[in-house]
């Protein structure tokens, strides 16, 4: 049996692809650069719609992959050390906050400044309207998505980071009480299904994260089997088939996958079956690290968090220059946007996120034991 890998770069790559996929869903924001949405806008006007239709219609669902991936990684790396009290709450919180908070804080300030500049320019906020002091404070403490039907504000995509923070708290508490990967995580995921009809975003976070924990148990059990190679192929082709079917349904405008986040049937299948299956299939295929795949994961947080402030800044420039939304519906503009976004994500990770992470972790008395997770 091969030793358990230290890092699953294939999962890092999936996280990076998911982050970039969300941008396609948010490309529609450029139809609102004047403050109001342009009359007669449609997804069909977006660049290369004939090719990228599934991402324009359902790119929002890529966030669900984040939750499954996070659950897998956290149950894999932390559940035993938390359960056996090898890591305390303070150290665990420092590990997570040092990774997430510096960039979140900077982009919250940037988004707040840009939102109010947009308001002065148009009399409206850009896309997310709940931009007041209480919502700023909630975002400052990463609790803006901890209650039902909480609106998005400022740097709207950070809602999922707030959900991650809530999941970290629950995960730590449950592991302290003995939770392990496997059937216990499955019970929590299934218990969260009724939340879809109450608040689908919270439900997506809970279901995805704890299904990630289920997949860790499956991975640990399947990778030591004598027929692991056959199982790996079956899982891989099953995941590919699932994504092909989903894309086909989206190209066909099937009601089975329509309705955005209000489609409970789609969310249940996607979060309990397809996303976890994909993560498990990729984990089973991991034999060694591939640094170039890890790069996509390294910059995934920055590309996800930076893309909306970039859009907001471009909306301000567009209004100054008299540009119409159609300027952004050109393929070369999208390619340039992605190139700049990936470049900024790379710079952010290397020269801001990692240095800030190391600096904050040095503040801990147990700094010598802190990992780079």
């Amino acid at each position: 049996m091969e030793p358990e890998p230290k890092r699953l770069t294939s999962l890092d790559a999936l996280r990076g692809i998911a982050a970039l996929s969300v941008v396609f869903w948010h490309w529609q924001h450029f139809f609102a650069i004047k403050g109001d949405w342009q009359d007669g806008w449609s997804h069909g006007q977006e660049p290369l719609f004939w090719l990228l239709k599934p991402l324009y219609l359902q790119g929002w669902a890529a966030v669900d992959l984040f939750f499954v991936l996070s659950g897998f990684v956290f149950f894999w790396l932390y559940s035993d050390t938390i359960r056996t009290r090898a890591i305390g709450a303070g150290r665990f919180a420092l590990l997570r906050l040092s990774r997430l908070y510096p960039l979140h804080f900077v982009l919250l300030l940037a988004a707040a400044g840009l939102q109010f500049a947009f308001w002065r320019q148009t009399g409206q906020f850009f896309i997310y309207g709940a931009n007041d002091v209480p919502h700023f404070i909630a975002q400052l403490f990463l609790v803006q998505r901890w209650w039902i039907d909480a609106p998005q504000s400022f740097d709207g995509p950070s809602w999922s980071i707030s959900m991650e923070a809530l999941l970290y708290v629950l995960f730590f508490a449950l592991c302290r009480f003995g939770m392990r990967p496997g059937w216990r995580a499955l019970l929590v995921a299934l218990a969260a299904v009724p939340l879809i009809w109450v608040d689908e975003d919270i439900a997506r976070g809970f279901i995805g994260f704890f299904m990630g924990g289920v997949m860790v148990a499956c991975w640990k059990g399947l990778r030591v089997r004598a027929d692991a190679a056959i199982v790996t192929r079956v899982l891989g082709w099953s995941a590919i088939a699932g994504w092909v079917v989903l894309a086909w349904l989206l190209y066909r405008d099937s009601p089975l996958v329509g309705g955005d986040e209000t489609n409970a049937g789609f969310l249940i299948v996607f979060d309990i079956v397809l996303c976890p299956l994909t993560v498990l299939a990729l984990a089973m295929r991991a034999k060694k690290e591939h640094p170039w795949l890890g790069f996509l994961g390294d910059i995934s947080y920055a590309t996800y968090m930076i893309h909306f402030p970039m859009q907001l800044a471009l909306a301000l420039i567009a209004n100054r220059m008299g540009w119409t939304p159609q300027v952004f519906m050109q393929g070369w503009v999208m390619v340039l946007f992605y190139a700049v976004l990936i470049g900024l994500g790379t710079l952010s990770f290397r020269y801001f996120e990692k240095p800030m992470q190391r600096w904050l972790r040095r503040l801990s008395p147990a700094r010598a034991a802190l990992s780079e997770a």
Side-chain angles (χ1 to χ4, degrees):
M1 183 186 72
E2 294 184 359
E4 193 170 287
K6 295 181 179 179
R7 182 180 182 183
L8 296 172
T9 49
S10 57
L11 299 189
D12 290 329
L14 182 61
R15 182 184 292 107
I17 293 169
L20 295 173
S21 296
V22 174
V23 180
F24 287 102
W25 167 248
H26 285 163
W27 203 257
Q28 62 188 288
H29 292 169
F30 287 117
F31 287 114
I33 58 174
K34 302 295 184 183
D36 293 315
W37 289 81
Q38 176 180 285
D39 291 338
W41 82 271
S42 70
H43 286 296
Q45 300 169 23
E46 294 175 288
L48 299 176
F49 178 76
W50 60 272
L51 177 64
L52 303 171
K53 181 177 179 178
L55 295 174
Y56 285 130
L57 297 184
Q58 212 84 340
W60 57 269
V63 175
D64 299 46
L65 281 167
F66 295 161
F67 295 130
V68 179
L69 287 164
S70 291
F72 187 98
V73 170
F74 275 74
F75 272 95
W76 172 34
L77 296 179
Y78 290 111
S79 60
D80 286 342
T81 55
I82 293 172
R83 182 174 49 81
T84 59
R85 299 181 181 271
I87 184 173
R91 180 181 165 197
F92 180 74
L94 178 60
L95 286 171
R96 299 324 308 149
L97 287 175
S98 63
R99 177 66 184 98
L100 299 179
Y101 197 79
L103 186 63
H104 164 72
F105 178 73
V106 168
L107 292 178
L108 173 59
L109 296 181
L114 291 168
Q115 284 283 14
F116 280 97
F118 190 84
W119 179 81
R120 290 186 63 184
Q121 191 180 74
T122 66
Q124 302 176 66
F125 291 117
F126 185 63
I127 307 300
Y128 308 112
N131 299 320
D132 52 24
V133 172
H135 287 95
F136 181 87
I137 294 173
Q139 281 211 23
L140 190 64
F141 290 97
L142 275 175
V143 298
Q144 72 268 27
R145 204 59 187 87
W146 286 27
W147 55 87
I148 292 171
D149 292 330
Q152 294 184 35
S153 58
F154 296 104
D155 188 6
S158 67
W159 76 266
S160 65
I161 310 304
S162 174
M163 270 303 307
E164 290 267 357
L166 175 59
L167 290 165
Y168 297 159
V169 173
L170 180 61
F171 167 75
F172 187 91
L174 290 175
C175 288
R176 266 290 197 259
F177 282 100
M179 173 168 277
R180 304 169 185 261
W183 65 267
R184 296 174 181 86
L186 178 61
L187 290 179
V188 177
L190 294 178
V193 170
L195 285 174
I196 291 175
W197 289 274
V198 179
D199 189 304
E200 66 277 359
D201 287 343
I202 293 177
R204 291 160 61 197
F206 276 63
I207 295 170
F209 189 92
F210 286 95
M211 284 304 301
V214 177
M215 292 304 102
V216 170
C218 294
W219 174 60
K220 287 180 176 291
L222 292 173
R223 66 185 301 272
V224 299
R225 289 170 55 114
D227 60 349
I230 296 174
V231 172
T232 298
R233 286 195 291 272
V234 171
L235 289 171
W237 283 110
S238 297
I240 291 171
W243 287 103
V244 169
V245 169
L246 175 58
W248 179 77
L249 291 172
L250 287 167
Y251 276 115
R252 303 261 310 180
D253 296 315
S254 171
L256 293 175
V257 293
D260 296 334
E261 296 160 271
T262 61
N263 188 331
F266 166 77
L267 287 176
I268 291 170
V269 174
F270 192 69
D271 291 349
I272 293 181
V273 180
L274 185 55
C275 287
L277 173 63
T278 302
V279 170
L280 177 60
L282 287 174
M284 289 293 293
R285 292 184 63 85
K287 296 184 181 297
K288 60 180 180 179
E289 291 189 16
H290 301 283
W292 68 276
L293 289 176
F295 165 76
L296 288 174
D298 290 340
I299 68 170
S300 61
Y301 179 54
T303 54
Y304 177 74
M305 291 292 287
I306 290 172
H307 81 271
F308 180 75
M310 271 185 66
Q311 289 186 320
L312 183 45
L314 285 171
L316 286 164
I317 294 171
N319 286 326
R320 287 283 186 182
M321 301 296 293
W323 297 344
T324 67
Q326 278 60 42
V327 169
F328 299 97
M329 300 306 133
Q330 303 175 78
W332 71 268
V333 174
M334 173 175 278
V335 171
L336 180 59
F337 183 96
Y338 269 94
V340 173
L341 177 62
I342 291 171
L344 289 175
T346 303
L347 293 173
S348 172
F349 178 75
R350 291 181 179 176
Y351 300 111
F352 179 71
E353 295 168 62
K354 292 300 289 184
M356 286 298 298
Q357 184 183 55
R358 287 192 291 266
W359 179 75
L360 288 170
R361 291 180 181 186
R362 282 198 296 269
L363 301 178
S364 169
R367 58 183 176 273
L370 291 178
S371 72
E372 291 295 316

